Every structure is written in C-alpha cells, then in structure tokens.
Amino acid sequence: MSGGCCGCVAALKPRYKRLVDNIFPANPQDGLVKNNMEKLTFYALSSRPEKLDRIGQYLEQKLTADINRHRFEFVFIAMEALDQLLVSCHAHSLNLFVESYLKMVQKLLECQEPDLQITATNSFVKFSNIEEDAPSYHRRYDFFVSKFSSMCHSGEQFGKEMKQKIRGAGLRGIQGVVRKTISDELQVNIWEQVHMDKIVPSLLFNMQDTKSTGADIESPKDEDDPAHLAEVVFRDLVCRASYGNIRCVLVPILVHLDNHRAWVPTDFAVRVFKIVMYSVQSQYGYLVIQLLLSHLDKHVKDDPQIKTSILTVLFEAVLISAGGSIGPSVLEVFNNLLRHLRISVDNKGKNQAQYSAEVKFQDAIVNTIGEFANNLPDYQKIEIMMFVMGKFPQFADEEIGGHMDQQLQINLLKTLLKATTKYKTVIMSNAFPPEFLHPLLRMSLMEDAGMRITVQDILHTLIDRHGNTKKLKRIELCGNIAVLELSVEKCSRQDILFMKKSGMQFYWHILENLQLESNRVDNLEALYCTMGLLAVEMGGDDIIVDLFRLALDIQGLATGTTLPLTHRCALHAMVAAYLNLISQLVTCQQAFEYVQSVIELRKFRAQHLLPDFAYNRTNRPQSLSELEKSELYPKTDQVKEEWLFEQSLLTTHLASTGLDVSRLGTPFTQKPYSGDNMDPTMSASDIGSINIEMESVDGSPSMARRRYSGVEEITVESLKKMLSEENTEDKEESERRRREVVNTFRTAPFEEIVAKSEAKSNHFHNKLNEILDFVSNTCVKETPVDGMSSEPGDTPFGMQFPDLFVY
C-alpha cells in the first residue's frame, strides 16, 4: 500500500524534477548516473530550455538538504551535475540558472569543511571561464571576493598539504572573480578600493610567505605552490589594469609594505615592484614612479633605512621603465629628490649608525637621479644639469663654499657627475651653455680638494667624446704618443667657435686652480687631464696656440709663485709633459725636438722638474722639516734658464708650420668677465689677438673722425707695440712691486689703505671728466640734412623722424 502511494507521488512530480532525481545513484559511491545526466542535459537544451531555471532551483533545494544532513557525497554529485549543465547550456535563460548556481557555491563556501570549499572554488573557476551570451545586471560578487581572500590567509589549523590546497583554492577563486568581472562593465566594479584592499594584500601575503610553504624563489616553480600561484594571479591582475585603475592596485601594495614593515630588507619590495613594472602597460609606468615618489614624501621623517629601501625600489623601477616614462613633471621629480637630499644632509644623526644610514640614503638618491637622467633626451639632460647646478648658492668668488653645508655640496656634485655620465656630448656649445659653464668653473675653485677633483671629473665626462680620459689621467712623458692610442678627430668649426668664445674661461680657472696650496697629486693630475682633453677634442690650429700659451703661463706661475717647492716642481713637470703632448698633436717636428732637448737636459741636471720624480707618490715629504732633510729635492729653489722652455724658440718653431703665433707672447693675466651684460671672452690678455678693420657705415657722420687727426691714431700695430714693450719690462721689478702691494694690504693700517683708494678713485674721476669735456668741446654740430635737427640743445647725432614714422 505504501509502495503504491510512493509510486503515485513520484508520477505526479514534474518531469524536470524526475530527471534531476534520476542523476543521483542509490549508492553515492557509484557517482553521477551518466545516462540520466545526458537525458537531463538534452531536456534542458532542446525540449524545455525555459525549465533550466527551475532545474537550478530544484538542485539548490536538494543541495541544501544534503548539506544539512551532512551527506557530502551527494553534494559532490550535485556540483558535478551543475558544472556539466553550465558548460553545455548557452541559452539566454542561463542568467537565471546562474543565480541558483551562485547560491549553491556560496552555501558550500560557507561550510567549515575544507573539501567542500575547495570543490566550490573549483566549480567557480570553471564558471569564470564561460563566456555568457547575455549581460547580467544584478549579479554581485562581494561575498566571493571576501571569502576567497580569507581562504588565502587560512589553513593554519590544518596540515601543510591541506593548507596549500585551501590557499591555492582561494587564489584561483580570486583569479576567477577578476576574469569574470573585468570584461563586463555591467557587473560589479572589481577595481573599487574596497575590493582591491582585500585582493592585493592576500596575493602579497602568499608571495611573501615562502618559508611556510617551503618554496624557494630560485627553485623551479610548482604550479600548486601558493607563492607561485599568487605571483601568477598578481601579474594577471596588474596587466589588466588600465590608466584609471592602476592606482587602485598600487596603493594597497604600499599600505601592505608599510603595515608589515616589509621595506627592510629590500628584496621583497624590489621583487614586487619589478613584477609590477614588467606587467603594467608600458605607457602607465610613470604612474608607478610618481606614486613611489609621493610615498617617499610620507616617510620623510622615518628611519633612513626605510627611505633607502623605497628609493632602491624607485631606482629599480626606473631601470625597467622605457625612455621618457617618468612623466611630464620632470623638473618636479628632480626637485623632489633634491629636496630629500637636503633634508637627509640636515639630519646629522645622533650616532654613527644613524649617520651611516643617512649616507646610504644620499647615495641612493644620487644613483636614482642618474637613472632618471638616463631616461631623458639629451636636451633635457642639459636642463637637469643646470637645474642641479641651480641648487648651489650663487656666492661671490671669494665666498664659494662658505655658507653651505659641505656634505650637501659633495652630494650635489656627485649628483651632477651622475647626470653628466648619462649625457653624450656631440657639440661642445650644447654641452656647455654659459648658464652652466660659468657656475661649474667657479665651483672648481672650492676650498675642498676632493670637491675640486669631482668638478674636474664632470668636465672630463662632458669634454671627452672618444674615451680618452683614462689615457690622460697620468702625467707622464711619452716619446711617441701613439702608445697612448688616443682617438683624435679633426675639430669641427662649431667647437673652434666655442673655444674662441669660452676658452678664456677654461684657461683662467685652470691657472687659478694650480695656485691653490691645498692641491694634491690627484688634483694636478685631474687638471692635466682636463688640459689634455681640451687639446685632443678641440685642438684646432687656432686653439693649439692658446694651449702652448697656457703651458708657458703655468711655467711662469711656477717660476714666480710662493707655492711650496713640491708644488712648483710638480707644475714644471706638468708643463714638460703637456708641451710634449701638444707638440706631437700639432705635428711640429721642430717644436717637438726642442721640447725633447729641454727634457733630456732636465734628466741629467734637474730630475725634480720631470713627472717621474715630481709625481712619484713614494718620495713626497710629509712636512717642511722632512723637505729640508730630503736629499731628493734640491737645497735651493732656483731654476736655471736652460731648464725652462723659451717662448721665443717655441714661437719660431710653431711659426714655421704656418700657425698664427701672434698671441703666444700674451699671458692670461686677467680674469675673464662672465656677467650677462658683457662679453665673457673680453679680457686684457686678448687685446693682442684682436684684428678688426673698421669701415665707415653709410649714413654715419664722417667729419667727426677728421677732428681727431691731431691725436695719435690707435691701431692694431700700436697695440702690439704697446704690449711688446710691457713684455720686455724687467720681471724682477714687476715682482717687487707686486710684493709691495701685497705687504701694504697685509700690514698697513686700514685708514692708510682707505686714503690711497680714495686718491686713486679721485684721480680716475678727474681723468674721466677731462675726457668727457674734451669730447663735448670737440663735437661740432653738423649741417642739418634730411631730417637732421639743427636746433640748439640737440645731441650731435640726434635725428628728427618725419611725422609719417611717428606714432
């Protein structure tokens, strides 16, 4: 009786319920009944596709009952049936079926059984790979984001194997959610910060937790390993991020590294951002860099180790980024880094460890700025070098290095050197604009000897275009410079014009540098290298004569200066090596033979004037008393005439090659003016080299020139004659006068010095008034012609413009 009633009840069920009931076996261990499953699939696809939603609802009821009764075997069978229906059905009614499906997956995920959670996750991953025909408007995935993220952190209560399975399932679930929602704008926005704050830390936690999982970064990757799987999901997430979404991914990364103190050591942070930079779309790389810079600002008062780590990450990001990817605010980026450099220098630190950490941070800033500069085009590199130069105070010459922290100056010079190494010089005038050259040369006169070497290194980097710096670092005598294997090319016209305009700046500052008593051997070698590079890179016919002229000036400096004996010997040795070099570059055999003859004479009678002796660091006396006892240096500082290079003989030999040697006898005695309102190349020492022919200009008054016929006419020849007379003046008398002036300013009372200065000033003003009166009395008013004014009070050359041209 009861059996008949049961049969009647079963016959009254709808067909889709009977088909669903038939897929479950009597014994759950037998698994899904495949024949009946095929019938259910066929019914859902062809016979009654609108019944698919009801099938889902009925399966949900049976799944809920089985979960409550802990009949987990039937739960697995139901999930298998759901997966097959999802893969087979693509009807428009699939949306409603998915709602029932997601409810079933959620019920399984809410269970405490790890096997059910893993089964639900695997089913959801299959579902995420299905492309639906119709869009969904009301579907939510908030629960799945939260649950899968929590699974990435769970599993501690289980064994190692189960923990890996749970975390792996959570990571695959996150990847499924991202894939399912990323391409459908009608669904939940997975890029919202509330979701990224859960997803990104979960991925980073598993990437970082390599110890508990036994994974080694360098070992072959296991696809089921959570650390490897988290990295795969992380790459997939970053590469899908667009311009508006990349920040939502990066901010949780920075917060995670801060909260878990993962900046130190740097390995993990560098690894994470390398993944980001390699995965993000190349045009968005600068956003990563800008965000790192902003994050560095937030840690400005933190431990320098953390700041160094952030800057190291930034450095690695710049290395990976493509050229020009640091963004539009280039100067703002450099200003930000230089500001951190200044703040770091001001933080002296109370102990040695703190100071060492700040020094490392400063070095990291310098290296990062260099890499930033490397990503810029050449014209912007020059702007950056000028920008860094602008961070130095514009002191007067006598105040260079006075009121500024020395450590900051050193770091700024290192920064400048790092930036110059990334610049490839083509034309010297582009590499040395006046706004950059003049301050740089002024900085070469700083008190600190090490900083002066850095300035010379900057000059070497910019001047050297053919890799000759290392070959000219040592001051030595080469009988044949071919052994140096110098790369020499013909100087271009642009470079010759540059040297004619700015060469005086180089020459004068080199001479001033050589007079500093704090110079070491390294300083002199750096200056010699600069001189050698000028000769090799820009040694045209006109310029090479100036370089001979510079060498003779150095010799005169060494002869008449009050520098210590070791310095003077070193200067004489430098002159010998430099003349030996440039006499071979100019291919003047007679000049070369003459230089060699003087060198040979020194080898026998004055070895202390040659580089092998003067620049041998093993024989340097440490004090004045040691110098007096030393037998290596002569007892007297007198240098005989035959040991020196004669200007007249060099002039004769160079003239035989067709060079213009008219300027060879004019020393560089006056500092070239580098202001904006005056030509920086004009100086008293260049008067002898001026050769200008004046011609009358049409329309200019010609009678005024005849009025001066009674006065001696100033010509180029008269100027040359005047200079030659000055050069023949007794040198001892000139030196005596100079010493008298120096002693006066050192020993005389202040009132006496003021009185003398006022007398000279009054004398100058009197002479100036006489000249002005003479000019005003001799100017004769011209006959008015074509608009020239004839009214009294007009200037001699005043002009009355017609009304047509007056506004």
Side-chain angles (χ1 to χ4, degrees), residues 158-197:
F158 303 104
K160 178 180 178 181
E161 184 177 355
M162 181 56 68
K163 180 175 69 174
Q164 290 189 8
K165 288 182 178 180
I166 295 175
R167 292 187 178 183
L171 293 168
R172 286 191 295 271
I174 289 177
Q175 188 177 30
V177 173
V178 173
R179 287 179 179 176
K180 194 64 180 175
T181 58
I182 202 77
S183 58
D184 193 347
E185 297 180 355
L186 298 175
Q187 296 184 17
V188 63
N189 185 8
I190 198 65
W191 299 110
E192 290 180 0
Q193 201 66 52
V194 64
H195 299 314
M196 287 294 116
D197 287 343

Side-chain angles (χ1 to χ4, degrees), residues 642-696:
E642 60 266 23
W643 297 347
L644 300 177
F645 298 94
E646 293 187 20
Q647 171 199 326
S648 58
L649 292 177
L650 282 174
T651 302
T652 303
H653 296 322
L654 293 176
S656 64
T657 62
L659 295 174
D660 181 11
V661 294
S662 58
R663 293 179 295 175
L664 192 58
T666 307
F668 303 109
T669 56
Q670 182 177 342
K671 175 185 176 181
Y673 185 72
S674 60
D676 297 332
N677 57 348
M678 188 173 180
D679 186 358
T681 61
M682 292 299 294
S683 76
S685 61
D686 276 342
I687 295 178
S689 62
I690 299 176
N691 186 10
I692 303 176
E693 295 182 359
M694 299 294 294
E695 296 181 357
S696 62

Side-chain angles (χ1 to χ4, degrees), residues 32 63 186 700 723:
L32 184 68
L63 185 75
L186 298 175
S700 62
L723 290 174

Side-chain angles (χ1 to χ4, degrees), residues 489-772:
E489 293 184 3
K490 185 178 180 180
C491 185
S492 65
R493 178 175 176 81
Q494 294 96 325
D495 291 343
I496 292 177
L497 293 175
F498 167 77
M499 286 301 294
K500 286 184 176 180
K501 182 178 180 181
S502 304
M504 280 295 300
Q505 295 284 335
F506 286 101
Y507 308 147
W508 187 86
H509 283 88
I510 288 173
L511 288 172
E512 289 296 310
N513 267 277
L514 293 173
Q515 298 181 59
L516 299 174
E517 291 191 15
S518 59
N519 280 332
R520 304 190 299 262
V521 175
D522 294 337
N523 293 92
L524 298 179
E525 288 178 342
L527 289 167
Y528 173 81
C529 183
T530 302
M531 296 162 56
L533 289 173
L534 289 175
V536 173
E537 294 289 341
M538 292 173 284
D541 291 344
D542 295 336
I543 308 304
I544 204 72
V545 174
D546 286 339
L547 297 178
F548 274 97
R549 176 181 171 191
L550 174 62
L552 292 174
D553 269 17
I554 298 174
Q555 179 177 266
L557 175 66
T559 305
T561 188
T562 57
L563 288 172
L565 178 60
T566 54
H567 285 63
R568 282 176 282 161
C569 292
L571 294 182
H572 281 294
M574 176 188 289
V575 172
Y578 193 60
L579 286 176
N580 175 70
L581 173 68
I582 60 179
S583 62
Q584 296 183 65
L585 289 175
V586 79
T587 62
C588 179
Q589 186 63 26
Q590 295 178 350
F592 173 66
E593 291 176 356
Y594 169 67
V595 172
Q596 289 297 315
S597 65
V598 177
I599 292 174
E600 290 296 326
L601 183 61
R602 290 185 181 184
K603 287 182 179 179
F604 291 102
R605 300 184 181 180
Q607 293 186 7
H608 59 284
L609 303 181
L610 293 177
D612 290 342
F613 179 91
Y615 292 93
N616 184 358
R617 290 172 169 83
T618 60
N619 61 8
R620 312 291 293 180
Q622 300 298 321
S623 63
L624 182 61
S625 59
E626 291 185 14
L627 178 62
E628 294 175 352
K629 298 177 183 179
S630 174
E631 298 180 358
L632 299 175
Y633 284 89
K635 300 302 181 182
T636 176
D637 59 355
Q638 183 179 4
V639 180
K640 297 181 180 180
E641 291 293 334
E642 60 266 23
W643 297 347
L644 300 177
F645 298 94
E646 293 187 20
Q647 171 199 326
S648 58
L649 292 177
L650 282 174
T651 302
T652 303
H653 296 322
L654 293 176
S656 64
T657 62
L659 295 174
D660 181 11
V661 294
S662 58
R663 293 179 295 175
L664 192 58
T666 307
F668 303 109
T669 56
Q670 182 177 342
K671 175 185 176 181
Y673 185 72
S674 60
D676 297 332
N677 57 348
M678 188 173 180
D679 186 358
T681 61
M682 292 299 294
S683 76
S685 61
D686 276 342
I687 295 178
S689 62
I690 299 176
N691 186 10
I692 303 176
E693 295 182 359
M694 299 294 294
E695 296 181 357
S696 62
V697 182
D698 294 340
S700 62
S702 59
M703 294 184 65
R705 298 181 63 183
R706 299 192 187 100
R707 295 288 179 182
Y708 296 94
S709 58
V711 183
E712 181 181 358
E713 186 177 0
I714 299 176
T715 63
V716 175
E717 294 299 328
S718 64
L719 292 175
K720 289 183 178 180
K721 182 179 179 181
M722 186 188 308
L723 290 174
S724 63
E725 291 175 357
E726 292 178 359
N727 290 333
T728 56
E729 185 180 357
D730 187 13
K731 293 183 178 179
E732 294 183 359
E733 181 67 19
S734 176
E735 181 65 20
R736 185 185 63 79
R737 292 178 182 176
R738 189 186 68 81
R739 290 180 180 176
E740 287 181 358
V741 173
V742 172
N743 291 330
T744 299
F745 278 88
R746 285 181 177 175
T747 60
F750 178 76
E751 293 78 6
E752 180 181 344
I753 296 174
V754 172
K756 288 184 178 181
S757 299
E758 289 180 351
K760 289 183 179 181
S761 177
N762 293 334
H763 178 72
F764 169 76
H765 285 292
N766 292 336
K767 287 294 183 182
L768 180 60
N769 292 331
E770 291 177 8
I771 294 172
L772 293 175

